């Protein structure tokens, strides 16, 4: 059965409905940064988000965003909803890698809403973060404008390790650099 949205006040909710992903809990992130390095940090921070994720994206950045989603989220399913409730409406489902393939052949135009399936933990799929990975992640977030507290909170969320443990690593690193 083909599901289509009816005109309404928000493309984000219409896209959520037609995505087929759980709609009982979701988060709306709006537009991610146009800077690739910042966008990847933002996506990394959402990697373990269990709720369905809704994003807006500009047509000229769709491919780079899909490539980033694919590299960070792997085979997680997405929905690309374009020009919802308009004459050239398009709703596409698949993995981000499949989206890169599709939208490389056909350049997207118009308003785009991306809906990303929430994280679902399965045994053995958690990435092991080294101490250096965690410190580098915090430093990158700080370089991109996050406070130390915000960066520690996000790094803990992403890695599943306690904030105090990550903070201790940074303190130890600073102490070693002084000696």
């Amino acid at each position: 059965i083909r599901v289509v949205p009816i005109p309404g006040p928000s493309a984000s909710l219409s896209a959520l409905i037609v995505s087929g992903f759980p709609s009982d809990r979701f988060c709306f992130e709006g537009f991610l940064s146009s800077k690739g390095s910042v966008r990847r940090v933002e996506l990394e921070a959402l990697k373990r988000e269990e709720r369905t994720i809704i994003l807006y994206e500009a047509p000229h950045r769709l491919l780079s965003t899909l490539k980033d989603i694919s590299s960070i989220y792997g085979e997680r399913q997405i929905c690309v909803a374009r020009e919802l409730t308009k004459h050239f409406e398009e709703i596409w489902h698949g993995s981000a890698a499949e989206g890169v393939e599709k939208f490389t052949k056909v350049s997207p135009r118009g308003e785009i809403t991306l809906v990303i399936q929430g994280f679902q933990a399965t045994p053995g799929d958690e990435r092991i973060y080294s101490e250096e990975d965690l410190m580098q992640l915090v430093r990158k977030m700080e370089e991109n404008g996050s406070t130390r507290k915000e960066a520690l909170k996000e790094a803990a969320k992403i890695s599943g390790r306690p904030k105090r443990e990550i903070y201790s690593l940074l303190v130890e690193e600073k102490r070693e650099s002084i000696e």
Side-chain angles (χ1 to χ4, degrees):
I1 299 173
R2 183 169 182 247
V3 178
V4 295
I6 57 173
S10 169
S12 59
L13 291 179
S14 295
L16 175 64
I17 292 164
V18 299
S19 74
F21 300 139
S23 59
D24 56 336
R25 296 181 65 234
F26 63 91
C27 67
F28 173 70
E29 293 292 319
F31 284 94
L32 296 179
S33 175
S34 59
K35 256 181 103 172
S37 60
V38 177
R39 180 177 55 243
R40 285 185 288 280
V41 168
E42 292 170 335
L43 286 169
E44 190 71 42
L46 293 167
K47 184 175 183 176
R48 297 181 59 86
E49 176 60 64
E50 295 176 355
R51 298 173 293 176
T52 301
I53 303 166
I54 305 169
L55 308 170
Y56 287 153
E57 191 52 272
H60 65 279
R61 284 197 310 261
L62 180 63
L63 279 175
S64 56
T65 299
L66 290 176
K67 287 175 185 175
D68 291 342
I69 291 171
S70 179
S71 70
I72 295 169
Y73 296 180
E75 292 298 311
R76 199 178 309 179
Q77 295 296 294
I78 65 167
C79 173
V80 178
R82 189 178 70 76
E83 291 293 286
L84 288 176
T85 74
K86 297 178 183 166
H87 182 69
F88 294 105
E89 176 181 287
E90 177 183 13
I91 300 163
W92 180 87
H93 294 84
S95 70
E98 293 167 337
V100 169
E101 188 177 315
K102 177 194 175 25
F103 293 106
T104 297
K105 295 174 187 170
V106 179
S107 296
R109 294 172 60 183
E111 299 171 356
I112 297 172
T113 306
L114 287 171
V115 185
I116 305 169
Q117 180 182 35
F119 174 76
Q120 297 170 344
T122 56
D125 73 347
E126 291 185 28
R127 177 174 173 208
I128 306 299
Y129 284 86
S130 70
E131 292 178 355
E132 183 55 39
D133 288 341
L134 291 170
M135 292 187 293
Q136 186 176 9
L137 181 61
V138 170
R139 286 190 298 262
K140 252 187 198 177
M141 286 190 267
E142 287 177 330
E143 287 170 11
N144 291 320
S146 295
T147 65
R148 169 71 48 103
K149 185 176 180 178
E150 292 167 339
L152 287 169
K153 183 178 178 181
E154 285 303 317
K157 182 179 176 184
I158 290 167
S159 68
R161 292 170 71 175
K163 283 189 297 189
R164 67 183 173 282
E165 180 183 329
I166 301 167
Y167 179 74
S168 295
L169 293 172
L170 292 166
V171 169
E172 184 62 31
E173 177 189 49
K174 186 172 185 174
R175 188 179 343 200
E176 288 175 3
S177 70
I178 293 173
E179 294 174 348

